[in-house]
């Protein structure tokens, strides 16, 4: 999905080892989050260049469709799961980094337990009942990684490249039990 520094609408898919143009998003946005496969994908939130968004979209491999709105506007959150069931956590609403979290059941978003640490531009992966959130971008004061078991968040310590720095621009793959992560810029 296009739009790292300015809102984009282009979407590309990797098909048989070749990147191909796919159905464009119906609305411009950047710093959005998403998860799933090419035929069962969900994106949530983002920024359209002027304001944070609370909307989510589903992609079935052919067409983007509007989905349920979330309960908070923000960008730079992160999503684990897919269009059948997902969770989105953290992000940057107007007031600053947040601990907000919501679960998606395939048709509606439900407010769930907040994370222990405010995060944005962080890594997150897994499912809506077994997820992990890595690091945080705002400053070096909150470096804890957290796991989510479908009910609550648990701090699991620094690790994963945390060291003495908080890391932004993280990526992750796996679940709360077994995962791999990587990081961008070291803050601090």
């Amino acid at each position: 999905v296009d739009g790292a520094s300015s809102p984009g609408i282009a979407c590309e898919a990797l098909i048989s080892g070749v990147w191909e143009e796919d159905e464009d998003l119906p609305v411009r946005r950047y710093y959005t989050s998403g998860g799933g496969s090419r035929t069962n994908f969900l994106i949530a939130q983002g920024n359209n260049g002027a304001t944070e968004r609370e909307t989510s979209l589903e992609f079935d491999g052919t067409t983007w469709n509007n989905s349920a709105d979330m309960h908070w506007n923000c960008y730079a959150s992160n999503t684990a799961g897919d269009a059948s069931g997902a969770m989105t956590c953290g992000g940057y609403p107007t007031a600053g980094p947040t601990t907000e979290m919501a679960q998606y059941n395939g048709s509606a978003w439900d407010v769930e337990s907040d994370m222990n640490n405010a995060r944005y531009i962080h890594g997150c992966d897994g499912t809506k009942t077994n997820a992990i959130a890595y690091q945080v971008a705002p400053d070096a004061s909150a470096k804890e990684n957290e796991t989510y078991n479908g009910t609550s968040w648990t701090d699991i310590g620094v690790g994963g490249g945390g060291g003495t720095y908080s890391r932004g621009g993280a990526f992750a793959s796996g679940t709360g039990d077994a995962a791999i992560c990587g990081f961008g810029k070291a803050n601090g």
Side-chain angles (χ1 to χ4, degrees):
V1 176
D2 188 16
S5 62
S6 63
I9 59 171
C11 182
E12 294 183 352
L14 183 62
I15 303 170
S16 299
V18 177
W19 286 103
E20 296 181 14
E21 177 72 20
D22 219 327
E23 176 74 18
D24 287 344
L25 275 77
V27 294
R28 292 187 171 279
R29 62 176 70 200
Y30 69 102
Y31 285 119
T32 189
S33 67
S37 68
R38 184 174 181 278
T39 58
N40 188 21
F41 197 78
L42 174 77
I43 63 171
Q45 300 173 319
N47 187 301
N48 66 4
T51 187
E52 293 80 27
R53 304 189 65 93
E54 66 182 7
T55 57
S56 59
L57 299 167
E58 293 182 23
F59 187 67
D60 61 13
T62 306
T63 306
W64 288 99
N65 296 296
N66 288 320
S67 188
D69 286 349
M70 300 183 72
H71 68 284
W72 81 98
N73 296 336
C74 87
Y75 67 98
S77 61
N78 213 315
T79 298
D82 58 32
S84 302
M87 54 82 73
T88 293
C89 60
Y92 202 95
T94 304
T98 185
T99 60
E100 298 272 355
M101 187 267 202
Q103 282 190 1
Y104 185 66
N105 64 13
S107 61
W109 289 96
D110 293 316
V111 177
E112 295 293 331
S113 61
D114 286 352
M115 297 187 316
N116 296 313
N117 300 290
R119 304 174 185 278
Y120 71 102
I121 316 175
H122 59 288
C124 178
D125 208 7
T127 67
K128 70 179 193 172
T129 58
N130 186 9
I132 187 163
Y134 297 96
Q135 307 301 354
V136 62
D139 58 40
S141 66
K143 296 178 290 204
E144 296 292 318
N145 299 309
E146 302 179 54
T147 57
Y148 182 70
N149 64 10
T151 305
S152 62
W153 289 92
T154 302
D155 284 335
I156 60 169
V158 179
T164 58
Y165 298 103
S166 172
R167 305 283 178 138
F171 65 86
S173 182
T175 65
D177 301 312
I180 186 169
C181 63
F183 301 94
K185 180 181 179 231
N187 300 320

